[in-house]
Amino acid sequence: MEPPATPGASRPPTPSAAEVPQGTDNDGPIVVANEFADVVVRKAHTRNGVRLEIWSPRRGTVIHLDAVALDCLSYQEPELITELLARTPGA
Amino acid sequence: MSSPPAGDVQRLLETMQVGVPEGRVPARIFNDQAVYERERERVFGRVWCFLAHESEVPKPGDYVTRYIADNNVIVARTERGDLKASLNMCRHRGNMMCKSEMGNSSHFRCSYHGWVYKNSGELIGVPYFKEGYESKLDRKQWGLVPVRTETYAGLVFGTLDPDAEPLEEYLGGFQFYLDIYLKQGPGGSVVHGPPDHWVAETDWKICVENFSGDGYHTPVAHQFGFHLGYFPSSGATHSQGWAAHIPGKGHGIGLGHTPGMPPFAGYPPELVAQMGETLSPAQMEVFSKTRTAVGSVFPNLSFLIQPFSLVPGEPGVRFCTMRLYHPTGPGRMEMWSWCLVPAAASDEYKEAAYKAYTLAFGQAGMFEQDDFENWTRLTRVAGSSVAKHLEFPYVMGIEREPLSDFPGPGHVVSPYVTDTNFRGLWGTYTDYMLKES
């Protein structure tokens, strides 16, 4: 598995849309987009388990979040995202 | 007939101040650059303007963009669930922040230099904050410009005037009548889908006047709706009903009555049974006799509720439309038209009401087409060299005494067909236009 990319650090090459792995209905991919950003989300299977892959095609960044990380996100305050965006607004 | 001077908008308005109570309104008011510019400052810069219905932004992150005068405004539901309105303008170089008219986002990011704001308006992210600004920019000072808002029964209003009276006082008792549109049973009313939205070469004020209770035009302008059997009224009785307005506030409503029509005809029976929970006995008495309720909140928000048949001759389905006439220049406007449905009604009724609305109003609606054909032509004529020196008669019902025993508030007269509400509307309009800051 690729390590999660840090915005501003080295970025993996941006795959084309045709290269997005097509999983089963349960695996995605699904697109979450608004006028400011768009990401492609899918289940990414490892040998022993599963992670959620969040890929930003425009930015070329990707992160793989396991159940513990996602669970942790589920009980954060909205301000956590604000703090993360304040740290790296994404220029 | 006296002719108002064509040159000076101040003198035109002073002429109106005298003329409106006597039943005269100048044609020029409907199509004139100087009038438009003064309206933008003195009317739309001071009033409470309708921005959105709360049901348009139900979940955290939901937003819509709307206008007050020529200012674009974002109305957003924050991550905490409250409503915030901000000018749709990045504070860095003034770029438009949200280009979409509706969407969902917890944060807004400017497409020019990338400043990031919470959807509540606080500036939180500045690219190259350390490298470029040496961390010295005070982000607290450079949030989106907030817009003052207040709500009534799901309607979100905003004002640019920090000294504007509270919304409750501004509405001044008109809430009694607004409730027929906004409190259709338990849970009130909600929008059914996004608004229809189009541009028209029409002055916003003729639309507001019409929707302040112009029952007079209906049997003529909408004669095919009558004759084909879509609309449950007849020329013989169409003048019947009441006209109510709130003196000094500019809000007015026409309540058309058809003799022999069952109370609350066109609503689902189960909804009528529940209405007593949300409406007062006085409201129930007035609304049970109302076939058509066509009303406006000053300056440019209107509503209409009436039964309309999906198939000619069949019993009507009662639908509700809310519309906003947003001026974009002299004799030009953007039209916004929503369908409101009772939150508690069945999906089947909501769909039927939406069909009735679409058949009658909205961009291709039968009644809407009839109206805009007339309104666009009269707007064009109002700007012509001779017509702009002329006045129109607003004398219908000018000597009629108000009813003393009507259950609802305001100045109420009968019959429905009268210019009384319009004199009230134009009087308030003139007051705003003449009042200096």
Side-chain angles (χ1 to χ4, degrees):
Chain A
M1 175 174 295
E2 296 172 46
T6 307
S10 62
R11 296 178 176 183
T14 305
S16 74
E19 291 171 314
V20 177
Q22 300 295 310
T24 65
D25 286 350
N26 285 334
D27 285 352
I30 59 171
V31 174
V32 177
N34 62 27
E35 61 176 308
F36 305 101
D38 50 282
V39 295
V40 181
V41 179
R42 69 174 182 102
K43 271 190 199 170
H45 295 277
T46 70
R47 179 177 180 277
N48 296 346
V50 64
R51 288 199 172 201
L52 188 74
E53 179 186 280
I54 305 173
W55 171 45
S56 171
R58 264 196 268 186
R59 202 174 287 289
T61 48
V62 67
I63 190 170
H64 293 90
L65 301 171
D66 74 310
V68 175
L70 289 166
D71 173 57
C72 163
L73 283 179
S74 77
Y75 55 79
Q76 298 302 323
E77 298 293 313
E79 279 69 25
L80 174 69
I81 304 299
T82 300
E83 285 166 26
L84 295 176
L85 276 166
R87 222 169 69 196
T88 50
Chain B
M1 182 187 294
S2 64
S3 297
D8 175 52
V9 69
Q10 178 69 21
R11 277 182 289 147
L12 175 83
L13 291 159
E14 286 168 359
T15 307
M16 276 183 82
Q17 199 172 28
V18 177
V20 169
E22 296 172 356
R24 296 190 310 274
V25 171
R28 183 184 153 198
I29 208 75
F30 292 112
N31 193 344
D32 184 272
Q33 182 70 35
V35 167
Y36 164 72
E37 286 172 10
R38 192 184 280 214
E39 282 171 359
R40 193 175 52 192
E41 306 302 322
R42 294 198 177 178
V43 177
F44 291 92
R46 292 165 170 167
V47 293
W48 283 100
C49 281
F50 174 72
L51 288 172
H53 192 281
E54 285 181 306
S55 63
E56 293 185 274
V57 283
K59 292 282 175 65
D62 286 341
Y63 64 91
V64 294
T65 62
R66 298 286 152 78
Y67 285 94
I68 300 180
D70 49 6
N71 306 286
N72 201 216
V73 176
I74 308 167
V75 182
R77 179 80 63 181
T78 72
E79 296 304 291
R80 296 286 175 197
D82 49 343
L83 281 170
K84 289 278 179 173
S86 316
L87 282 191
N88 189 8
M89 181 189 83
C90 180
R91 290 291 273 129
H92 178 233
R93 290 293 182 270
N95 187 27
M96 182 180 265
M97 181 60 57
C98 297
K99 281 91 169 176
S100 295
E101 286 184 354
M102 58 187 290
N104 182 294
S105 200
S106 61
H107 296 77
F108 305 137
R109 187 201 320 263
C110 180
S111 59
Y112 194 10
H113 297 90
W115 281 25
V116 178
Y117 302 81
K118 289 171 78 170
N119 62 6
S120 50
E122 297 103 305
L123 173 65
I124 59 100
V126 175
Y128 303 113
F129 185 66
K130 287 178 192 161
E131 300 89 333
Y133 287 100
E134 297 166 345
S135 302
K136 286 177 182 166
L137 179 81
D138 182 2
R139 282 173 288 197
K140 286 193 175 64
Q141 281 188 29
W142 299 105
L144 299 179
V145 176
V147 173
R148 183 181 162 202
T149 60
E150 287 192 33
T151 61
Y152 176 72
L155 304 183
V156 183
F157 290 85
T159 182
L160 303 177
D161 182 358
D163 299 323
E165 62 189 331
L167 180 65
E168 188 178 353
E169 285 175 35
Y170 179 85
L171 293 173
F174 198 60
Q175 296 93 321
F176 178 97
Y177 301 106
L178 280 178
D179 287 354
I180 192 174
Y181 311 112
L182 305 175
K183 296 185 178 174
Q184 301 181 82
S189 304
V190 292
V191 297
H192 194 73
D196 293 315
H197 181 204
W198 68 94
V199 171
E201 300 291 326
T202 297
D203 187 80
W204 64 278
K205 297 185 292 300
I206 192 61
C207 312
V208 179
E209 180 192 288
N210 182 287
F211 271 74
S212 298
D214 192 326
Y216 191 45
H217 82 298
T218 316
V220 181
H222 306 302
Q223 57 188 282
F224 291 105
F226 267 59
H227 295 163
L228 292 173
Y230 283 107
F231 185 67
S233 185
S234 82
T237 60
H238 188 75
S239 63
Q240 293 197 26
W242 304 269
H245 78 274
I246 308 297
K249 299 291 186 184
H251 320 307
I253 189 168
L255 303 163
H257 173 67
T258 296
M261 180 179 276
F264 294 110
Y267 280 118
E270 63 275 15
L271 193 73
V272 175
Q274 292 171 320
M275 275 190 182
E277 297 167 26
T278 50
L279 299 172
S280 70
Q283 286 174 314
M284 291 292 281
E285 184 184 342
V286 173
F287 301 158
S288 66
K289 298 174 193 160
T290 297
R291 175 204 66 241
T292 300
V294 54
S296 294
V297 175
F298 188 84
N300 64 337
L301 177 69
S302 296
F303 298 87
L304 180 141
I305 213 165
Q306 68 180 28
F308 203 80
S309 304
L310 297 177
V311 176
E314 288 192 358
V317 176
R318 200 171 279 256
F319 72 90
C320 179
T321 175
M322 172 172 76
R323 47 249 341 274
L324 186 76
Y325 318 107
H326 167 58
T328 56
R332 294 197 82 226
M333 56 176 252
E334 286 180 26
M335 173 79 185
W336 299 71
S337 174
W338 292 258
C339 178
L340 295 183
V341 294
S346 65
D347 290 343
E348 188 184 7
Y349 171 71
K350 288 176 184 171
E351 277 307 309
Y354 183 67
K355 274 186 189 167
Y357 153 77
T358 305
L359 192 58
F361 288 93
Q363 210 164 357
M366 187 186 298
F367 276 36
E368 200 92 88
Q369 293 282 317
D370 295 337
D371 283 331
F372 272 96
E373 181 71 11
N374 289 306
W375 294 341
T376 299
R377 288 178 196 280
L378 82 79
T379 299
R380 192 184 307 160
V381 171
S384 62
S385 61
V386 175
K388 71 181 180 184
H389 296 289
L390 302 177
E391 292 180 317
F392 299 125
Y394 280 71
V395 294
M396 199 191 297
I398 199 164
E399 291 176 358
R400 195 173 294 275
E401 290 296 318
L403 301 173
S404 57
D405 57 349
F406 192 75
H411 180 109
V412 186
V413 294
S414 186
Y416 169 48
V417 172
T418 179
D419 288 335
T420 310
N421 285 1
F422 311 152
R423 288 188 294 274
L425 166 67
W426 286 111
T428 299
Y429 171 85
T430 310
D431 290 344
Y432 271 95
M433 291 286 273
L434 281 171
K435 189 182 164 201
E436 293 177 15
S437 301

